[in-house]
Amino acid sequence: MVTMALEDKSLQTLKLDVFDLLRSPELSSKLDVSEALTELDGGEIKHLAGLLKAFEVPAKTVLFREGDPAGYMGMVLDGRLVVTKRNEEDAGKPLYSMSAGKVFGEMAMLDGEPRSATIMAAVDSTIAVLSRDGFEQLCKDRPVIALKVLRRLGRLLSQRLRRASGLLVDYLP
């Protein structure tokens, strides 16, 4: 039996200001330092920028909540986002904060599962978003760029898993 993922409407319901990165050289230049794009050259980043949408996110805005449907990954261009995860008491516990260059939502982009954490803007922030549809388009039009992005996301996830397992080892019997 095939189940259909729920559509991610989180950005639409927030009614954030959206703009084209290709028309904002100052912001598009910030893609150069994104941890997700370190394997891309300037031309590849410019091509990818055409598939991205940028959003201004006011402080205290929750982008999405743990368990929400997921349809995009994002990169912080400016500002700071806070990542929280529910504990056994259903309270949100802060895990970490991320600033310019960091990527979020990449797990859901890869596996199609609901969001694994909640993300909120700690201060006024700017993010660039790659939708699942945009990524599918990248795979069709420029598979080499898509492969480089996937390879980099795999490395980032591996690093995070290694760090988490290192932290958890002290809790093992």
Side-chain angles (χ1 to χ4, degrees), residues 62-168:
V62 175
L63 287 170
F64 52 77
R65 297 187 185 284
E66 183 176 346
D68 283 354
Y72 69 89
M73 63 174 266
M75 295 165 263
V76 182
L77 299 179
D78 195 31
R80 188 167 45 89
L81 306 180
V82 175
V83 180
T84 60
K85 182 115 177 105
R86 290 190 301 247
N87 62 12
E88 291 174 358
E89 291 82 38
D90 210 30
K93 302 281 276 187
L95 294 178
Y96 55 91
S97 65
M98 57 179 70
S99 56
K102 297 299 182 184
V103 64
F104 61 92
E106 72 285 356
M107 287 182 3
M109 175 66 86
L110 295 174
D111 65 15
E113 295 292 320
R115 299 292 186 187
S116 64
T118 297
I119 294 194
M120 180 184 76
V123 298
D124 291 347
S125 302
T126 307
I127 62 171
V129 166
L130 178 62
S131 69
R132 184 171 281 114
D133 290 342
F135 185 71
E136 293 294 329
Q137 191 64 46
L138 182 65
C139 289
K140 289 178 194 168
D141 295 346
R142 301 290 295 273
V144 171
I145 297 174
L147 178 61
K148 288 180 179 182
V149 171
L150 280 174
R151 188 171 45 221
R152 181 63 185 145
L153 291 177
R155 282 194 192 107
L156 289 171
L157 289 170
S158 175
Q159 290 167 1
R160 290 176 187 169
L161 181 59
R162 289 173 190 273
R163 191 172 349 151
S165 63
L167 293 171
L168 293 174

